[in-house]
Amino acid sequence: MEALFTSEPDPGYPGWNRWELHDSGRFLDTLGSVHVQPDVDGKARVRMVPGRQHSNMLNNVHGGAMLGFIDIALFAGAETCGAKAAGNAVTLDCNVQFLAGAVLDEPLDAVVEVLRETGRLIFVRGLVEQASGTIAAFSATLRKAGKR
């Protein structure tokens, strides 16, 4: 199956790969640039920088924008951790606990860990962080796409 995403070094963001969809104009574009890098202990770090377009009326990151970012981070993080075909998978379930508000114009990182991978499923968990601390916790199950 052809990969739908690429993860290649971004010269403008040293040490990070840009996670990019081959087909622009889709939901991923609403998040802006998404970057990934392997983290310690086999985890992956996925980053976006939220702007005004991601804000709520309190001038924090909107919960829907956070959920969208987490959903993208599941796939980008799992692939960066080495899960096979995670970029072509679908979300079966996702649980999120919001712990604090996220501020705008500051990097927002999802630290993603693959707990287990089977022939069809990928079990993932992680934390969303900013400089101020932990913003959210999440866990999800991804199902790899079947052959078309």
Side-chain angles (χ1 to χ4, degrees), residues 4-123:
L4 301 173
F5 299 87
T6 56
S7 175
E8 306 208 349
D10 185 340
Y13 219 81
W16 292 80
N17 284 2
R18 184 173 176 135
W19 178 263
E20 202 161 30
L21 182 62
H22 294 186
D23 185 8
S24 64
R26 304 246 181 214
F27 178 78
L28 179 59
D29 292 346
T30 65
L31 297 178
S33 295
V34 174
H35 290 85
V36 297
Q37 71 176 190
D39 206 4
V40 295
D41 301 327
K43 298 177 185 174
R45 188 167 291 267
V46 183
R47 175 173 285 178
M48 72 168 284
V49 179
R52 180 167 164 58
Q53 70 274 24
H54 305 111
S55 69
N56 61 21
M57 297 305 286
L58 299 174
N59 232 15
N60 287 322
V61 177
H62 189 283
M66 181 81 67
L67 290 169
F69 170 59
I70 288 169
D71 191 59
I72 298 300
L74 296 172
F75 301 95
E79 282 256 340
T80 302
C81 288
K84 297 174 185 71
N88 295 338
V90 297
T91 307
L92 288 181
D93 65 50
C94 183
N95 297 296
V96 178
Q97 297 80 43
F98 293 101
L99 306 172
V103 299
L104 303 176
D105 302 317
E106 181 179 303
L108 189 63
D109 289 356
V111 180
V112 179
E113 174 182 18
V114 173
L115 298 174
R116 181 167 183 206
E117 179 179 7
T118 69
R120 298 287 287 170
L121 301 174
I122 306 168
F123 300 90

